Amino acid sequence: MTRLRPLSLALCFALCAASHAEDAQPPTQPPLTEQTQRSGGEMAAEQQRVSFDHAELHFSVDPAQQSLDAEAILSFTAREATDALLLDFDPHLTISKLTVDGKTLKPDQWSNPDGRLRIAPPKPLAKGGKAVVDIRYGGKPHVAKKAPWDGGFVWSHTDDGQPWIATAVEGEGCDLFWPCIDHPQGKPALVDTYVTVPKSLAAPGNGVLVEIKEHGDTHTYHWRAKHPTTYAISINIGPFDVLKGDYHSRYSNTIPMQMWYLRGHEAQAKQLFAEFPRMLDFFEQEIGPYPFGDEKMGVVETPHLGMEHQTINAYGNGYPRSEYGFDWLLQHEFSHEWFGNQMTNADWDDMWLHEGFGTYMQPLYGQYLYGDMPYFSMLQNERSMVKNAYPVVAGRSQYEEDVYDAKRGPGNDIYYKGSLMLHSLRQLIGDDAFFESIRRLVYGRPDPKPGNFTPHYATTRDYIAIVNQVTGRDLNWFFDVYLREAALPKLETRQEGKTLTLHWQVPHDKPFPMPVEVQVGDKLLTVPMIGGNASVPAPAGTLVIIDPRSKLLRDLPHFADYQQWKKEQADKKAKAPK
């Protein structure tokens, strides 16, 4: 099973070369069922009928056997009457006992043949009724072959042979290691995780560390997180040390910072940790308050490249130095605290709200640090990656693989095309309106302050409505072309005597009155393209530059030529004798 899961800019050329790869291929394991492999789609009616109030998750991990012994105590409130509770759970993990409200269910009261765990409570739930489901289970959880591009457990070890374990389940979903509602809208309101490990190891997790309980040769880490994204709940185990500090926010609150790193990597970890305050300052200045300031900004070193695990971002980029002056991977994953964990897409079809905004934060951060050169350099890298094979938004409920797999959906374009579209939008509406639209999207209000917002869901339609409201303009045409069409608009130009004519060629001849800047000689003209057409005086022989400040995302043949050349070079290399 192969999935495309880029994590940031074209800088992914570094990929896992700098990270500690898994130590060996995973053992032979049964293939995932179609249900477990998928994430999202239309939310089942039974799942829509309940609110997920609380998940209490107990994990004991055996590195030698690569096995899991676990218990999940899950609390629900019925939004409407229901006679069934429906969860998602990998059927290759064995359920040894299942109770509802303390009553053990008989085998005919629950079933999980394909990964949809259907539970019949002893009595139906009325609207407002509550139920507590207790599931004890264990076995060998699915092993990721190449995390985070595919999901599962990562069983690795440090250079001195100690266990180094992580989970990464964005694609296949939370049901790979705990019974959950595997849908973007399946967030529990509160999650308590308990991870028991030998005393030589630590288990950093999501949210706030409540306590560490000692049990002879082992100890249990208890973490508590509010409204975590389902795939952002993680297990991390290793011989970690931790760097701690406080960030004094521009919003007057104090945010704990933690960097959990492998022993022996202290010098590199300190360099990375030193980046935390300025990243926080950037996001708080440009977007708004760090959403989880009462929990922490956390990072843990992992044996895979990275993942946006809420308040405990996975980091395995190998501590590189960069020409841009910051670690792109850390900055990208951290951006998901705003675009993914605070504001969560309502459906996988809206995933560009996570990845497009998250990717745009890297050039924007480069501009914040050092000005326009890194900003446009990174945008140029992104532009060379845009494929335009499928629309970014399909307009229907999607599974994760429908979006991330470039053979059947937009793939990388939710990152790069989404980012470049936001660049063009920013130029069109101006910084004030642009950043206000982002604040409203992320927080659900224009005046966020610590304590006056909570995580929420959003859709593509929500963001378009916000932009229209903030600007006082109908900009549906902009999003309709960039998000709902595969091909980019093409700007055709023609010199006729002393006149330069311009015409927007748009898929399906859709309206696209996108203004165009043209430099004629030493004069810069802003040309309104009412009806998609315009003309400007341009005497023959005069210097003419179309879009001199690179504001427009448009079809440019040389990018397609470059991509074709790159493909040919890669094919030649693959066919060359070893």
Side-chain angles (χ1 to χ4, degrees), residues 488-492 503-507 512 553-557:
L488 286 172
K490 183 177 182 180
L491 185 63
E492 297 179 329
H503 167 69
W504 278 117
Q505 186 183 75
V506 180
F512 194 68
L553 174 57
R554 57 190 172 115
D555 177 75
L556 292 168

Side-chain angles (χ1 to χ4, degrees), residues 7 19 82 85 124 127 155 183 211 258 312 319 345 357 365 374 504 512 557:
L7 286 164
S19 70
T82 184
L85 296 171
K127 181 178 180 179
W155 304 94
H183 190 278
E211 64 177 345
Q258 297 178 9
I312 190 67
Y319 304 102
N345 58 322
F357 279 98
Y365 188 50
W504 278 117
F512 194 68

Side-chain angles (χ1 to χ4, degrees), residues 168-242:
V169 298
E170 180 178 353
E172 293 80 354
C174 47
D175 51 337
L176 284 185
F177 70 101
W178 64 281
C180 62
I181 296 176
D182 182 17
H183 190 278
Q185 296 186 54
K187 288 186 182 187
L190 185 69
V191 174
D192 284 275
T193 56
Y194 300 77
V195 183
T196 300
V197 295
K199 285 189 174 177
S200 59
L201 305 176
N206 305 91
V208 173
L209 181 60
V210 178
E211 64 177 345
I212 303 175
K213 280 193 173 181
E214 308 293 332
H215 322 279
D217 294 336
T218 65
H219 52 187
T220 299
Y221 281 73
H222 173 196
W223 296 89
R224 177 171 294 155
K226 293 178 286 188
H227 305 286
T229 305
T230 53
Y231 70 75
I233 297 168
S234 65
I235 296 175
N236 304 281
I237 298 171
F240 299 115
D241 283 334
V242 59

Side-chain angles (χ1 to χ4, degrees), residues 239-301:
F240 299 115
D241 283 334
V242 59
L243 296 169
K244 294 183 179 181
D246 289 327
Y247 171 75
H248 299 286
S249 164
R250 60 179 58 237
Y251 292 91
S252 300
N253 60 322
T254 300
I255 300 169
M257 302 182 298
Q258 297 178 9
M259 171 73 207
W260 297 77
Y261 63 94
L262 290 183
R263 292 167 197 152
H265 293 179
E266 183 176 8
Q268 304 98 306
K270 282 184 175 179
Q271 286 185 331
L272 191 68
F273 189 66
E275 294 189 33
F276 287 18
R278 64 178 181 174
M279 285 189 185
L280 276 161
D281 183 70
F282 161 76
F283 280 105
E284 292 212 322
Q285 176 175 289
E286 299 289 82
I287 311 302
Y290 176 57
F292 309 102
D294 58 346
E295 295 183 7
K296 68 177 183 299
M297 175 191 178
V299 175
V300 59
E301 190 172 357

Side-chain angles (χ1 to χ4, degrees), residues 2 8 26 42 48 57 64 73 106 152 167 194 242 320 332 365 386 396 398 422 424 427 436 479 508:
T2 302
S8 189
E42 290 195 21
Q48 294 181 40
L57 307 174
I73 305 170
K106 298 176 183 178
T167 58
Y194 300 77
V242 59
H332 180 84
Y365 188 50
V386 175
R396 62 182 181 276
Q398 298 266 65
L422 292 171
S424 290
Q427 311 312 309
E436 182 178 343
F479 296 99
H508 302 105

Side-chain angles (χ1 to χ4, degrees), residues 11 18 21 69 107 223 237 301 307 422 465 471 478 493 497 514 533 545:
L11 299 176
D69 184 21
W223 296 89
I237 298 171
E301 190 172 357
M307 184 64 70
L422 292 171
T471 61
F478 177 93
T493 62
M514 186 74 166
N533 300 283
I545 305 175

